Each structure stands twice: as C-alpha cells, then as structure tokens.
Amino acid sequence: MNDNYFPQYTTDYISGVMSLRKPQTVSLKILKEIVNSVNLHKGMNLKAALGSVHAMYPICSDFERDFMSLTFALATGVGKTRLMGAFIAYLYTQHSIRNFFVVAPNTTIYEKLKRDLSDNNSPKYVFRGLGCFSTPPQIVTDDDYREKQISMFESDVRIFVYNIDKFNKEGANMKKVNEVIGDSFYQYLSNLPDLVLIMDESHHYRAEKGAQALNELHPLLGLELTATPLVTKGNKQIPFKNVVYEYPLSKAIEDGYTRTPFAVTRTDIDFYNFGDEQLDKLMLLDGIKCHENAKRKLEAYAVNNSTPENPIRIVKPFMLVVCKDTSHAQWVEQFVKSDEFRDGAYRNKTIVVHSKQKGAESEANTKLLLDVENADNPVEIVIHVNMLKEGWDVNNLYTIVPLRTAASKILREQMVGRGLRLPYGERTGDKDVDAVMLTAHDKFKDILDEAQKGDSIFKAGNVIKAEEIEPEEVTCTQLSLELEADKTLENAYQQTGIQQSKDTDALLQKTAELIQQAVTEHIQTTPEHTVTPVQAQQIVEHVKEKIVEDRDLGEVFRENEMPIATWMLHQAEETHRAAQAKFIPIPRIKITDAGVEEYVFIDFDLDLSDFKHAPIQNELLLQNLENMQDRQRIKGDAIDFEGYNPKKVILEQLRSKPEIDYEKCSVLLFKLISQLCDHYEKQFGTNGMQNIVMMHKRDIGNQIYKQMMQHFYCENGFLQEEVIGTRKYNLAQSYHYTESVSLFDNFTSEIHSVLFTGLKRSVFDCAQFDSKEGELTLARVLDTDSDVLNWLRPHPKEFNITYNHGHIYEPDFVVETEHTIYLVEVKGEDRLKEASVIAKKKRGIQYCEVASRWGKANGYKEWKYLFIPSKQVMPNSSFMQLVRQFQEL
C-alpha cells in the first residue's frame, strides 16, 4: 500500500526537519524496519508477523492484542507526543496511511493531545517543521462525527482523538447508529482499511474492558507509548511483552534530555529518633531552603543570559509536597501557613489539591495548579495527596518533599519525573538550573542503595546536604564610574546655587547615586543603548519619584526643586558620557560557514589500561546432537598467523571512521596502533597479540577511536567572518554569592561563591572568578596597573565566538590599553594541551585578526590575543610584561 508520493520523507529527513531527539529518531527507524518487513494488512497472519518482529527485536514476544501492536517505552520528558507526529508523517508519506485514532486515558491528556495535534500556533504543535500536508490533518474529536460528513473532511489525513471512556462502555454514543454515516461511528472506524491506533500512556488500556474496546476497532496497526510498560496484577507488576524499544529515565537523564535529580539529606542524624511531625517539619524546612536557593539561581541565570535582543524569561519555581492522606495534607497546610514556617511568608503562596475538595475551593485551586508555570501565579508550594495525574506536565517543579509516602523505586521515579522537564527546552549547562531536588531524609539509605544500580535515575554523587545549602545573595553589576563624590557635590552646589548643609549633602549624594543606577539600567535595557535628551528627562522624573518617597530627603528636595532638577538633567548627561568612556567597544562579527568542517587530532599516548583482551584458547567443542548434556572440549592446533598483518587490520577499522583522514593523521595512527600491538605482544608474545587482534579487531578499533575523539577539535579553514558593527556598551550581569569581599581581601568560601567588590579600573564595580591562582591574581594586577585603561570580565553573551560544532567560547578577560584591546585567556598548566583549549585559542586569535582589520579601517583600536598559563601570573607582574611574554602573533 506504499504509493511513495513523498520519496524525500525518509526517517532521516523527518528526524531532521522535526528536530527529533535520539530516542525519537531510533523509535521512528524501528517502526520503518518493522513495517517494511511485515506485509501490513487487515487480517494478516499475526503469528508470522510476530515471528518477524521477534527476530528483529527479541524483547517483543507477544503482541498482547488481537492486532499487531508495538510498544515504545520512552521516559517522561523525552517527547512522546512529538513522536506521534513523526509516526503519522512517516506512515502517511511512505505507506499512504490516512486514518489515525489517538486514544487518551483521561480528560487532562485528551485536552493536551487535542491542542498539540491541532494548534499550529502552539510551540508544542507536533507537526511543526513538516510540509507534507497540503492542508493540516483534520482533527476529529468529541461529537464531530455527528455534525460533519466524515468522508467529506477537506484534509488528506484524519486524526480521531478520543478519551477511552468515550467508547469502552456498552451504551457509548460512538456505538449508536448515526444516520449520516449509516452505521455507528465506532463500526465505521473498525471498517476503515488503514486505521492506525496510537495509544498514549498505554499501560491504562490493559484492563479487560479497555482492551476489548480497542480490539473491536480492528486497527491495521497499534502503536503504544508509555513511560511505564508494566501491568499491575495483585502485588506484582508484569512487564509488557510487546515492547520493541525501551528508553528508560536513567538513560534520558544521562543523555541530557531532562534535568538531573539530586537527593537532599542531613548528616549524622538518626531519623528513627524523630516523631512523624518532627520529621515532617524538618523536611519541609529543608525543602523550602532548597526552593529559595533554586529561585535565586533561576533569577540570576535569566539576568546573566539575557540581552535586549534576546531576553530570557525568569522561571518561577515551585515546591511539591506529597502527603499520605487528606488529614495529613490539612496538617501540612496549617504548618506551612503558620508563623513557625518562614514567619508566614508562604501563607498566600500555598494551595492544597486533593480529591475530597469540593466546589469553589477545588475549582480555584485546580485553576492555580494548571497555571502554576505562569510568573504572575503567586503559588510557590503545592500540597498534594498521592501522585498528581499524568498529563499535568510542568517545567518549573524544582523541589519535591515526599512526606510519609511509599518508598518503592517506581513511585520515586514517578515523583521525580514530575520535575525533570527542561524549562528552556534543553540543558543550559548551569548545574542549578538543570537540577531537581528530592528531600530524602528517612529514605536516603534506600536511594543511595538504588544509586549503585545501573538503571538508577540517581547517581551516588548526586547528594546534597541540607545544612550545607548556604543562603546566597544576588547582585547586579553597576558601572565602576570615576565620579568623585567631593567633586560631584562641588559641581552641584556651583550649578544650583543652593546653600550647603548636611541635609543637602545627603540629598545630592543620594540623587547622584540613583541617577547612576538609572543611567546604567537604561543603557542595558533600551534598544538604542544610549541616553537621548528626552530619555535623560525621563530618568530625572524617575529619580524624582524615588527621592520624594523618602520623607526627609523629599522635604529638602521640594524646597530646592527647580535648581536641583536642572542639575539632575546635567548629571544624567554627564553620567552617560562617563559610561560611554568606560565601556570597551566590542566588534560584532557575522560568521558565514563556507566550507567543510575538518577534525584535527592532537598528539597523545594511548591509555592502555582500557585494553584488557586475552588470546582465545585453541580448543574444539564436541557436541552430542542427541544428548545436549554430552559435550567435551579437546585441544586444537594453534592457529597459524603467518602473513597476518595486525597493524593493517586495525588501521582498516580506524579508516572507516568518518572523522579520521588518513592522509592528515597517519603519523598519529601508526603511533597508536604500534603502542597497542606492543602492549599485547609484551604480555602474550607475537602469536598471542595476533590472536587478540584477529578476534577483537572491531572492539580494539572502537576503543582507539573513542580515545582519539577525546583529543580532537573541529576546525573550519573556510569560515568567513566580517564585522557588522560594534557594541558600544558592555553587558551587565548578575552574580549570586555567599561571601562579599574587597578585591584584595582574604576570603573563606569557595572562590566560585565569592563576590569581589570595589573594582576601580574594571568596567563594572564587582566580579567573580573561577580560580584564585591565575584569574584573581590577574584581576588584581589589572586593577592597579597604570597601563590598563579599562578591563572587563565579559558576560557570557558578550562575544559571538564559537568552536567545535557551535560551542560558545567565553573569554576570561578583555583589557584595554592606550593603543590596543586584548582578549585574554588564563589556563592552568595541566590544561594547556587539551583539544578544546587549543580550539578556543585558535578561534580567539582568528577573532582578534578580523576585529583588528576592521578596527584599522574604521578608526578603532587593534585587538590582540593573550594566552597565559596561570602560574605565570604573579602578584608583582605588570600587564605589559605579560603581553610581551604571551601575546599570540
């Protein structure tokens, strides 16, 4: 039945245009392999079809239905609904299937599926990117079959979306005769020759009634999607027998398609000495500590990664408290809303949701629950009994507090699964943004034991101690302007003519401070990034409002409003000029990829500890074919390897890898292969080494390749770069910190959590550093060196420099001197030969070359690249000496 009207719609093409993730792509290819190997038609021989599928995918031993049904067991958050769209597109374009019946287990999922399959304005629209439908697929839901002539639907593809409860009962309307159709809608569907049944959360359709209702639809094919391919029978959970592909939650976490779960506990406490209420209170207080920590980190992330051109929304996190029953939930609610819990701060930010709620309270809380992702929604704590229903997909659950709940592995996975969705659609690289916390106090040993198992969603290292979560503060960098306070006052009195006093000093100093803050914010947030006369007046009006709010300062201001307002306008313009002089102009570069990427391998030695093969024994196995227990082994003659060239065999394995160009890395290949052969020859002799290579050549080739790929970087000699202008302001950023010290003071915290203040020559007044030896030392040199006009710890988005397949390069420092601007990288001596470091260095040099050529033609300073080993930066170093030593020519 394959008309193949769309030959270009291969599985690779569909995966590409739909941006499918790896498990989605694998699922689509499995479907293709099965459908192409089975003669798919109604009434087909299911036994023969099962034999074909089982031969390809041995874990599938039974279709478990009266039709061919295949289960794709994909973890929560991987994108099962998007995969439905890929399945539909493939079966339509490659097998001319036009009728699809999507079944949902409950109202929540039903509404979600309707929206995702029909709303092409939604970011979750499953057919986004596909152009194979001349008109969008016709979505048939509810009672559409009564109101429309089914056969006259305008679309080539029809998708029927129904809740299982619509047709698994005897008296269901779908089973009643419809005059327009001439039969029941249910019967009409069962007569379609190409109906494909797609079952979302298919573990719900294993009960007798549901299974029978689906069987009676007589579909051509069934596709089941679930994260839990298990059927509960009594106290046992029986695995599905028709699974063809399983992608567990542990793998999704490892591959980066979800956030990472962390277990939170307390040290040196025997929780069995606690009463139930004591333990609940402790877990709730530790949970809210985690929640508040996550809230600060999310705010800081949004500020640090936003630009006026690409603003990033602030994710508002919430905490889920899971209780054992409704009376327990009521007690928790009373405690959380009491003054004992954070002084009542969450009294109006907490809702309780459970099945016994009625009327207006239930309706209001359910509405708040469904809207909990909205930044305007005040809810930060959701108290719930047992588990929330499937289909409630949120991406802002950051803290889970399970109180006296069941401790089974599956329940833990279901709980944590609620908090694994990525709020920005992909991992950010920020550990705190990419995490979800589970307080595990009394269950902690169970989770640690679980973490040791290969399929665990937890890792033994993902443990956070509640008492070590320190409250952090957040600050946004301000311009480090050299506006001397005394001079500012002197100029203010000269311009205003008002009489100096202690009160007027305080007013003018506060006003100058507020103007500086307002100008800085204005430059960072307005599209023009400048201050026009009109905008300066707006800033003055804004500062006036702030001053008047202060009763004492407001009174002094009103007495001298006219002259002070004139001075304020002058001060706003003066501050803007000072800011412009302080900023380091950054050339904005447009990159055009005009060539083929090439892989460059760095010279290295094999880590031979990975190679543990041994020669196979020269034995023959004799098996009695009548008595299978009768078998014996006899020693055989040694295999003659004369003429066998093991080095050539390994080389052929490596030359088949797409990244390896033999002509360019033949010396490295010969060296690595020789190291491998020498390693085995020393242990087992020449014959033994040849034996190993012959029997394990593929594995050996893959192991060498794996190590080579850890020592490569991607280079494109054909990148075309051009400067398209310059950013005349620098991006402010937000820092979260536990300790704040002056740049030259000692500190006790880890350096990553220390904020260094009082910077003078820096563009901004504070900064953080990743290393004490190197970065901090260099900052201290820069801030006191007279040759340095300005220096900058750049915002992650300050530069558009990429390396190795689009990774973003964030330089450590930018330093401006009288004639030159330097891009500076400080690296530990142990990392100087890393492939990624070398790749960054090459791209940094390239950036400076392009910026310099443009600068020379447009009257800007030259750019140079400095690559400094961290131990070479001394407290008594001068910047120009470092330039002479480490400038890259």
Side-chain angles (χ1 to χ4, degrees):
M1 56 194 302
N2 181 3
D3 298 337
N4 206 16
Y5 293 130
F6 303 88
Q8 78 273 28
Y9 272 74
T10 62
T11 53
D12 286 338
Y13 177 79
I14 293 171
S15 298
V17 296
M18 293 186 74
S19 303
L20 296 186
R21 292 167 164 175
K22 182 174 68 175
Q24 295 168 318
T25 298
V26 172
S27 298
L28 187 60
K29 289 187 174 181
I30 289 173
L31 176 64
K32 170 194 167 185
E33 289 175 3
I34 291 175
V35 172
N36 286 342
S37 66
V38 174
N39 184 12
L40 196 62
H41 63 277
K42 276 204 170 185
M44 65 185 180
N45 185 329
L46 288 181
K47 190 173 181 181
L50 179 62
S52 297
V53 174
H54 179 70
M56 291 185 287
Y57 303 100
I59 58 172
C60 179
S61 59
D62 192 332
F63 291 146
E64 301 194 280
R65 302 189 188 276
D66 293 348
F67 51 92
M68 186 169 91
S69 192
L70 312 170
T71 292
F72 297 83
L74 271 64
T76 300
V78 168
K80 293 189 286 293
T81 314
R82 183 76 166 161
L83 180 58
M84 282 184 200
F87 281 164
I88 291 169
Y90 171 74
L91 291 171
Y92 166 60
T93 59
Q94 301 304 298
H95 295 274
S96 300
I97 293 173
R98 291 172 165 79
N99 291 289
F100 300 87
F101 190 98
V102 179
V103 59
N106 57 46
T107 304
T108 305
I109 294 179
Y110 167 66
E111 294 294 338
K112 173 181 177 291
L113 287 172
K114 277 202 307 184
R115 184 175 60 251
D116 292 350
L117 287 163
S118 63
D119 184 2
N120 56 14
N121 292 317
S122 166
K124 294 183 180 180
Y125 181 54
V126 298
F127 299 115
R128 185 171 299 282
L130 292 172
C132 56
F133 305 114
S134 55
T135 57
Q138 180 69 41
I139 309 299
V140 184
T141 63
D142 296 321
D143 291 333
D144 282 351
Y145 61 88
R146 291 180 170 187
E147 301 163 8
K148 298 179 182 178
Q149 179 75 36
I150 296 271
S151 59
M152 296 299 289
F153 280 138
E154 60 272 18
S155 177
D156 217 17
V157 174
R158 297 179 297 181
I159 303 174
F160 306 92
V161 187
Y162 284 90
N163 191 333
I164 185 74
D165 288 337
K166 280 279 187 180
F167 59 91
N168 68 350
K169 298 183 179 72
E170 275 305 314
N173 288 335
M174 288 175 66
K175 294 188 176 181
K176 295 176 181 177
V177 175
N178 182 289
E179 292 180 5
V180 177
I181 301 173
D183 207 337
S184 74
F185 178 50
Y186 189 75
Q187 192 61 45
Y188 168 82
L189 291 170
S190 69
N191 290 334
L192 290 171
D194 64 341
L195 185 69
V196 169
L197 181 60
I198 301 177
M199 294 160 266
D200 196 16
E201 306 294 354
S202 67
H203 54 281
H204 289 285
Y205 319 127
R206 296 284 169 140
E208 188 176 346
K209 280 190 177 180
Q212 182 183 345
L214 296 177
N215 283 334
E216 289 174 357
L217 278 170
H218 303 302
L220 176 69
L221 170 67
L223 301 173
E224 305 189 32
L225 298 165
T226 180
T228 51
L230 299 164
V231 181
T232 302
K233 291 186 178 178
N235 294 325
K236 292 185 177 179
Q237 291 194 308
I238 314 297
F240 284 15
K241 295 178 182 177
N242 67 342
V243 174
V244 291
Y245 179 54
E246 188 164 13
Y247 187 79
L249 195 53
S250 56
K251 187 66 176 162
I253 294 168
E254 180 185 328
D255 288 347
Y257 295 131
T258 67
R259 283 186 266 146
T260 302
F262 285 80
V264 180
T265 190
R266 279 186 169 265
T267 53
D268 302 325
I269 292 181
D270 185 349
F271 295 108
Y272 294 100
N273 293 328
F274 280 61
D276 286 343
E277 288 192 4
Q278 284 179 304
L279 183 57
D280 285 353
K281 286 183 177 181
L282 182 63
M283 288 181 70
L284 287 164
L285 288 167
D286 287 345
I288 204 66
K289 196 174 184 182
C290 293
H291 166 74
E292 290 169 351
N293 188 54
K295 190 175 180 181
R296 287 190 298 268
K297 297 294 178 71
L298 286 163
E299 289 171 355
Y301 174 80
V303 171
N304 281 343
N305 291 277
S306 285
T307 62
E309 297 82 11
N310 183 31
I312 291 180
R313 64 185 174 87
I314 295 177
V315 173
K316 182 212 75 174
F318 76 96
M319 180 172 93
L320 175 66
V321 183
V322 186
C323 302
K324 68 172 185 174
D325 54 37
T326 52
S327 60
H328 185 207
Q330 288 169 355
W331 176 86
V332 171
E333 181 185 17
Q334 288 172 359
F335 173 65
V336 167
K337 291 183 175 180
S338 71
D339 290 339
E340 186 182 350
F341 187 83
R342 284 291 197 269
D343 297 323
Y346 293 90
R347 190 171 289 121
N348 299 315
K349 300 178 182 179
T350 300
I351 59 170
V352 181
V353 182
H354 55 73
S355 58
K356 291 186 179 179
Q357 286 179 321
K358 306 293 180 186
E361 180 189 19
S362 174
E363 189 176 329
N365 282 359
T366 300
K367 186 176 180 181
L368 284 169
L369 177 67
L370 295 175
D371 193 40
V372 75
E373 289 174 297
N374 190 326
D376 296 328
N377 186 327
V379 173
E380 292 187 42
I381 299 177
V382 174
I383 302 169
H384 200 276
V385 178
N386 297 324
M387 284 310 303
L388 293 161
K389 288 184 177 180
E390 292 155 320
W392 183 64
D393 298 330
V394 292
N395 59 31
N396 64 329
L397 173 55
Y398 269 79
T399 309
I400 303 167
V401 184
L403 301 178
R404 288 183 258 163
T405 53
S408 75
K409 178 177 182 292
I410 287 177
L411 282 178
R412 260 199 299 274
E413 288 201 9
Q414 288 177 340
M415 264 190 290
V416 174
R418 294 285 173 221
L420 290 178
R421 293 180 184 273
L422 296 162
Y424 295 109
E426 59 185 5
R427 282 195 179 171
T428 63
D430 185 306
K431 178 183 173 184
D432 300 295
V433 176
D434 297 335
V436 59
M437 304 295 173
L438 177 75
T439 59
H441 293 17
D442 56 332
K443 305 291 190 300
F444 186 68
K445 184 181 182 303
D446 296 337
I447 289 179
L448 269 196
D449 291 344
E450 190 181 312
Q452 311 305 321
K453 300 173 184 175
D455 64 343
S456 173
I457 65 167
F458 294 97
K459 300 296 177 191
N462 290 2
V463 174
I464 293 176
K465 294 171 184 173
E467 57 267 46
E468 293 178 1
I469 301 175
E470 296 184 40
E472 293 185 328
E473 296 184 57
V474 179
T475 188
C476 191
T477 53
Q478 296 290 324
L479 280 172
S480 176
L481 297 180
E482 296 176 4
L483 299 174
E484 298 175 18
D486 291 344
K487 194 166 184 180
T488 298
L489 282 178
E490 184 183 335
N491 290 338
Y493 284 119
Q494 283 181 355
Q495 290 181 39
T496 59
I498 63 176
Q499 188 172 352
Q500 185 170 5
S501 69
K502 187 177 178 181
D503 290 339
T504 53
D505 279 357
L507 170 64
L508 295 172
Q509 286 171 343
K510 183 64 176 178
T511 303
E513 181 184 317
L514 289 172
I515 287 173
Q516 181 172 329
Q517 290 175 4
V519 168
T520 302
E521 183 179 349
H522 190 86
I523 292 170
Q524 295 289 332
T525 56
T526 59
E528 302 86 4
H529 306 291
T530 187
V531 178
T532 64
V534 172
Q535 291 164 340
Q537 188 62 54
Q538 291 171 349
I539 288 171
V540 168
E541 295 304 319
H542 170 74
V543 173
K544 277 185 187 178
E545 291 175 9
K546 292 260 187 182
I547 291 293
V548 171
E549 287 174 5
D550 184 303
R551 189 172 65 182
D552 295 333
L553 293 181
E555 188 176 333
V556 179
F557 173 74
R558 279 187 287 270
E559 292 173 359
N560 303 278
E561 183 169 356
M562 286 295 291
I564 291 180
T566 304
W567 167 77
M568 287 171 69
L569 191 60
H570 170 80
Q571 186 67 14
E573 293 167 347
E574 192 69 27
T575 304
H576 179 230
R577 279 192 289 272
Q580 286 180 307
K582 191 69 177 176
F583 287 131
I584 301 175
I586 307 291
R588 293 163 55 224
I589 288 182
K590 177 185 175 184
I591 301 173
T592 305
D593 185 353
V596 178
E597 291 177 330
E598 296 181 7
Y599 291 104
V600 179
F601 290 95
I602 294 168
D603 184 43
F604 72 101
D605 293 318
L606 275 183
D607 178 1
L608 294 167
S609 63
D610 286 348
F611 297 88
K612 299 175 182 177
H613 304 98
I616 65 165
Q617 299 300 311
N618 294 315
E619 290 183 338
L620 301 177
L621 174 66
L622 305 183
Q623 174 69 61
N624 183 330
L625 297 180
E626 290 184 5
N627 181 2
M628 299 307 289
Q629 292 182 339
D630 180 11
R631 62 170 60 180
Q632 57 180 305
R633 298 177 189 273
I634 62 173
K635 191 167 182 63
D637 294 332
I639 300 172
D640 184 6
F641 290 104
E642 186 177 350
Y644 182 73
N645 187 335
K647 292 184 179 179
K648 184 177 179 182
V649 169
I650 299 172
L651 179 62
E652 289 306 311
Q653 292 291 318
L654 293 171
R655 289 185 71 170
S656 68
K657 306 298 183 184
E659 297 90 351
I660 297 177
D661 184 331
Y662 173 73
E663 300 297 329
K664 292 188 176 180
C665 54
S666 58
V667 174
L668 176 61
L669 287 171
F670 181 76
K671 170 187 163 181
L672 299 178
I673 293 169
S674 296
Q675 287 179 350
L676 184 280
C677 290
D678 291 347
H679 169 66
Y680 282 130
E681 190 167 9
K682 185 177 180 181
Q683 287 181 280
F684 304 108
T686 301
N687 191 274
M689 177 268 289
Q690 292 172 321
N691 180 315
I692 290 170
V693 174
M694 173 181 261
M695 300 304 167
H696 303 283
K697 61 183 179 182
R698 183 175 296 177
D699 187 41
I700 287 170
N702 286 337
Q703 283 183 285
I704 294 176
Y705 169 71
K706 183 179 178 181
Q707 290 197 25
M708 288 183 71
M709 293 305 289
Q710 293 169 357
H711 294 84
F712 92 100
Y713 62 90
C714 184
E715 191 174 71
N716 192 327
F718 300 98
L719 282 181
Q720 294 179 349
E721 296 182 309
E722 59 175 320
V723 179
I724 55 173
T726 183
R727 185 189 291 120
K728 297 184 179 180
Y729 68 100
N730 300 124
L731 298 173
Q733 52 189 314
S734 182
Y735 293 121
H736 40 84
Y737 62 96
T738 57
E739 183 178 359
S740 174
V741 299
S742 179
L743 181 62
F744 290 89
D745 286 349
N746 293 325
F747 52 94
T748 57
S749 303
E750 290 288 326
I751 191 167
H752 303 85
S753 60
V754 178
L755 181 73
F756 294 91
T757 62
L759 280 51
K760 302 299 184 187
R761 295 180 188 273
S762 168
V763 172
F764 295 107
D765 63 347
C766 58
Q768 285 186 319
F769 306 100
D770 295 324
S771 64
K772 182 175 182 180
E773 186 180 66
E775 289 188 5
L776 176 58
T777 306
L778 180 59
R780 288 169 170 171
V781 169
L782 297 176
D783 215 54
T784 55
D785 195 310
S786 59
D787 288 316
V788 174
L789 299 182
N790 296 306
W791 66 272
L792 175 68
R793 186 81 164 136
H795 186 288
K797 304 273 184 178
E798 192 78 66
F799 290 90
N800 177 30
I801 308 176
T802 60
Y803 70 101
N804 279 4
H805 290 299
H807 286 83
I808 302 297
Y809 172 32
E810 301 172 16
D812 291 331
F813 295 89
V814 182
V815 183
E816 183 180 14
T817 62
E818 186 177 359
H819 301 293
T820 310
I821 298 175
Y822 296 91
L823 205 59
V824 183
E825 186 73 20
V826 182
K827 273 288 172 282
E829 275 72 1
D830 59 330
R831 299 189 59 200
L832 298 182
K833 293 186 178 180
E834 285 184 9
S836 62
V837 171
I838 293 173
K840 291 177 188 177
K841 178 179 174 182
K842 287 199 170 189
R843 291 292 290 115
I845 293 170
Q846 195 171 353
Y847 174 91
C848 290
E849 289 172 349
V850 174
S852 290
R853 284 196 297 271
W854 177 84
K856 187 175 182 180
N858 291 276
Y860 285 86
K861 293 179 180 179
E862 183 180 24
W863 281 72
K864 293 288 184 182
Y865 190 78
L866 296 187
F867 187 79
I868 309 176
S870 60
K871 290 183 180 177
Q872 298 300 311
V873 185
M874 306 291 184
N876 62 345
S877 296
S878 71
F879 180 66
M880 293 314 296
Q881 181 57 34
L882 292 171
V883 168
R884 286 187 284 273
Q885 281 182 271
F886 300 108
Q887 178 177 302
E888 297 288 336
L889 301 175

